[in-house]
Amino acid sequence: MKNIKNKILVTGGAGYIGSHTCIALHEADYDMVVYDNLSNSSREAINRVSTLIGQPIDFIEGDIRDADSLRQVFAAHQFFGVIHFAGLKAVGESVAKPLMYYDNNVNGTITLLKVMAEHEVSNLVFSSSATVYGDPEVLPITEESPRSSTNPYGQSKLTVEHILEDLALSDNRWSLIPLRYFNPVGAHPSGQIGEDPNDIPNNLMPYISQVAVGKLDQLSIFGNDYPTVDGTGVRDFIHVTDLAQGHVAALNYLTQQQQGLGFLPINLGTGKGTSVLELLTAFSAVSGQNIPFRFVERRAGDIASCYASADKAQALLGWKASLSITDMCQDTWHWQSINPNGYNIA
Ligand code: NAD
Ligand code: UD1
């Protein structure tokens, strides 16, 4: 008989971080069911994950706001817990369409939590973000740093965190772990799965890689007058496969618990800051491509520097990021150069 602690529901598992995490879960002997409405992903990602792990993925196309559909899934499987990636993530879009973001990210999570409670599934790993720290006063950022947000996307993550805190206080059986990701980049070393933005990328690494592959003309660097090493923004870039391992470490930790852990936020970052220019230089060296750029005005809402204290993840979960900026650039370049149009293979 299968160990019931092994079965995980992965919402949003067809997406960028979810697809990499499915591979890590499989390698760690977890069984998973992927639940995704494919609003920002494709079946091709699921197909490729299946090929990489050498077996079909148990995939259900569904929306986390659809309680009946979720109930059917929970009735059909005995889950140990849920990794909850499903959500919308574009900051600019969230400013233009706040109701869509609150509905999807907050209402969707409430629906999921209700169905979990009905089925007495009390272990949750939630995709939170360093965005909940707003403009940090002190670096590196620890889990105790003050939280704030400046846009509806960030506010939706913060609101879910508050809901999880209240829920944990209401019933001590819950174990609710928001993993606060810093800046996930990179791709699976096979080059078969990676980040596939729908439109012109908002984030730095996919933008750089699309300039390198010739899809975009040049990178605009948003500001060169920040109080940083070279005037450009500094971030804690973390390889997506390290991030995926962080989810496995969180689940392993949950399986060792005899009782509910309550609300337990954990940063997933490397602890190291890298500037925009440093990342650009590293990418150029790895890819051998000249990457044209120009300096432009700062982007509204951007902060100068942001990097994690990763001590709590190491102390509690025994997890530490191991891949370098060079690895991140190499794997992004590998994915981008063999899939210039992402999963759109037509
Ligand atoms: P992604 O868009 O690639 O993946 C999210 C997945 O969720 C997609 O496959 C999408 O189709 C699915 N989804 C969205 N709404 C859904 C719904 N209502 N029902 C079912 N499925 C739904 O994004 P990602 O980069 O893999 O991010 C995963 C999670 O991590 C998100 O919650 C995001 O906010 C969070 N996060 C991402 C980053 C990042 O830089 N990528 C940083 C911090 C936090
Ligand atoms: C962005 C989101 C944040 C989210 C995070 C991870 C904003 C304001 N913030 O953070 O909520 O949690 O992604 O998904 O969108 N840069 C350029 N040129 C570009 C793109 C970016 O110079 O074309 C710079 C930015 O100014 C920043 C750095 O690169 O200094 C990183 O930007 P980005 O990848 O968008 O991530 P964040 O701003 O950290």
Side-chain angles (χ1 to χ4, degrees), residues 12-129:
Y16 171 47
I17 303 169
S19 55
H20 290 81
T21 302
C22 285
I23 293 174
L25 288 174
H26 172 79
E27 287 168 354
D29 272 342
Y30 285 98
D31 260 356
M32 66 234 158
V33 174
V34 171
Y35 186 89
D36 197 304
N37 67 359
L38 301 180
S39 59
N40 195 38
S41 51
S42 70
R43 272 181 195 276
E44 181 59 16
I46 295 287
N47 296 342
R48 292 193 186 187
V49 172
S50 297
T51 306
L52 286 167
I53 69 173
Q55 68 180 58
I57 297 272
D58 198 343
F59 172 67
I60 294 144
E61 187 172 343
D63 196 297
I64 49 165
R65 292 163 296 179
D66 182 345
D68 288 337
S69 164
L70 278 178
R71 282 192 187 104
Q72 282 178 24
V73 180
F74 277 79
H77 302 272
Q78 214 184 344
F79 293 119
F80 168 70
V82 178
I83 306 186
H84 177 32
F85 294 107
L88 299 174
K89 63 168 181 176
V91 174
E93 187 184 50
S94 80
V95 175
K97 299 178 181 172
L99 295 180
M100 185 168 107
Y101 271 68
Y102 287 117
D103 183 41
N104 203 81
N105 294 2
V106 179
N107 282 342
T109 304
I110 291 174
T111 304
L112 173 68
L113 290 165
K114 281 182 179 167
V115 177
M116 287 175 68
E118 285 167 21
H119 293 266
E120 295 185 349
V121 176
S122 54
N123 296 306
L124 178 82
V125 175
F126 169 64
S127 297
S128 191
S129 167

Side-chain angles (χ1 to χ4, degrees), residues 141-176:
I141 303 172
T142 68
E143 288 78 358
E144 283 68 46
S145 301
R147 287 173 291 167
S148 66
S149 72
T150 53
N151 58 69
Y153 165 71
Q155 190 64 42
S156 75
K157 292 289 173 192
L158 199 47
T159 303
V160 169
E161 286 207 1
H162 289 313
I163 291 169
L164 298 181
E165 281 175 278
D166 289 340
L167 194 59
L169 287 175
S170 74
D171 183 336
N172 61 13
R173 285 173 299 179
W174 287 102
S175 291
L176 305 166

